[in-house]
Amino acid sequence: MSAAADPPRADGGNGAPAPLAPGDRVRVVGLLAHPEKNGTCGTLVRSVDEDRWEVRFDGTGRWAVRSAHLEKLSTAAVRPEHDKLSIAGTWTDWSIQDMSWQADGRHYSFEVRLGSKGEESFQVLVNGDWKARLYPDRSDGCPHERHNLCGPDGGGQGQNWTIGRHPLDRGGPGAGYRVRVLLADSGRARAVDWSRLSVPLGSYTSVSIAGTWDSWRAQGMSLDAERSLYSFEVELGPNGWESFQILLDGDWARCLHPDRADACPHADHSLCGPDGSGHGKNWTIGRHK
């Protein structure tokens, strides 16, 4: 399975390019002046003129691109083959952190900040199981060099993806990246890539949420680099409410929490932390009348 495999392409029939419209998912192809941008995916915002579109790219801001260099991607719904994917890497000494499912983009994602060495390595785990790893067929795999995606199995010792080592990553201490695991129509992982974030991460590698809906298990939140915010979708259970706190790097000693129980945006409260003093002080969704 090639990590450089292409996303599914939409067409208008008989192989003709499909017409473009705001909201379409697209990929950049055929750029000669900036070849490093080829393969970058994003969403069409508006038509700039009859030959160019403004594109909001995944984690890399907005810019105008000629229609000839935009390939429309399929938006057919994909059901992941596995319950979840997790990531484990050097930034947390290989502890396991859940990735976030992005249904509209047909991928799992996770944000990583490079440490003092300017590079980080990782593998992906199916259902958090080291015996079901996804990994490249060589050491220091990256999206800029062709390689195969292997697994899920218990192999892969020393065969990691490495962010920041290839010159096209433009790596360095503190640089932030969004890692993605792209899925095929079947729901199986077909490729791993990453893109440099235009907004740097703070003094932490990741932001997670832990709440009552999953017995307080930390789950990775998604960074919207353009709006400088993290997000996570929650479905209320049978009680009609759920409580949560926010963790930096999945660490309960670096918890963000309110200064009271059952805080919500509709009542005054203060944000506290990061610290380990938030026991019983949660945000609660669905309880405010």
Side-chain angles (χ1 to χ4, degrees):
M1 188 182 301
S2 173
D6 292 338
R9 178 176 179 173
D11 61 48
N14 299 320
L20 299 175
D24 285 347
R25 292 285 297 170
V26 295
R27 182 182 63 176
V28 176
V29 296
L31 282 180
L32 298 179
H34 298 282
E36 73 280 1
K37 289 183 169 58
N38 289 326
T40 306
C41 296
T43 303
L44 294 184
V45 178
R46 64 185 179 91
S47 175
V48 177
D49 53 41
E50 62 181 17
D51 190 41
R52 294 184 303 159
W53 284 84
E54 180 182 344
V55 186
R56 182 177 66 249
F57 286 96
D58 301 339
T60 57
R62 302 186 184 203
W63 26 286
V65 182
R66 293 187 182 279
S67 301
H69 297 301
L70 294 174
E71 183 178 77
K72 185 176 179 179
L73 303 179
S74 170
T75 56
V78 170
R79 182 180 179 85
E81 182 180 58
H82 308 290
D83 291 337
K84 67 178 180 180
L85 292 182
S86 304
I87 191 169
T90 51
W91 58 90
T92 55
D93 197 24
W94 298 97
S95 65
I96 299 171
Q97 297 173 287
D98 288 345
M99 304 186 75
S100 297
W101 169 238
Q102 310 295 330
D104 58 343
R106 302 158 57 101
H107 66 269
Y108 284 87
S109 68
F110 190 85
E111 281 74 44
V112 174
R113 183 175 66 90
L114 304 188
S116 59
K117 294 182 179 180
E119 62 180 54
E120 301 288 355
S121 296
F122 68 92
Q123 293 184 349
V124 174
L125 282 62
V126 173
N127 297 330
D129 186 355
W130 282 104
K131 295 181 180 179
R133 310 184 198 185
L134 300 175
Y135 54 92
D137 61 353
R138 64 199 65 191
S139 61
D140 301 321
C142 73
H144 314 296
E145 296 180 353
R146 184 170 293 277
H147 64 277
N148 293 320
L149 187 153
C150 304
D153 57 41
Q157 186 67 31
Q159 296 170 222
N160 310 314
W161 286 284
T162 298
I163 309 170
R165 180 165 293 189
H166 195 282
L168 290 180
D169 279 341
R170 296 181 293 120
Y177 295 81
R178 176 178 289 112
V179 176
R180 302 189 306 169
V181 179
L182 308 175
L183 302 190
D185 290 342
S186 64
R188 290 181 62 86
R190 64 174 181 80
V192 170
D193 70 8
W194 53 82
S195 58
R196 200 175 195 273
L197 298 173
S198 57
V199 176
L201 298 175
S203 57
Y204 43 84
T205 300
S206 65
V207 176
S208 303
I209 188 171
T212 51
W213 58 87
D214 197 24
S215 301
W216 297 96
R217 176 184 173 86
Q219 297 173 282
M221 302 186 74
S222 297
L223 173 64
D224 185 327
E226 290 186 300
R227 294 190 292 166
S228 298
L229 59 84
Y230 283 87
S231 65
F232 187 87
E233 295 184 0
V234 175
E235 181 176 342
L236 302 186
N239 291 331
W241 59 268
E242 301 288 356
S243 296
F244 68 93
Q245 294 182 350
I246 305 296
L247 310 180
L248 302 184
D249 294 330
D251 185 355
W252 283 101
R254 302 180 68 198
C255 176
L256 300 176
H257 56 88
D259 60 353
R260 64 199 66 191
D262 297 326
C264 72
H266 315 296
D268 288 340
H269 67 277
S270 297
L271 185 151
C272 303
D275 57 39
S277 305
H279 183 70
K281 300 175 183 177
N282 311 314
W283 287 282
T284 298
I285 307 168
R287 183 162 282 182
H288 190 275
K289 302 300 184 182

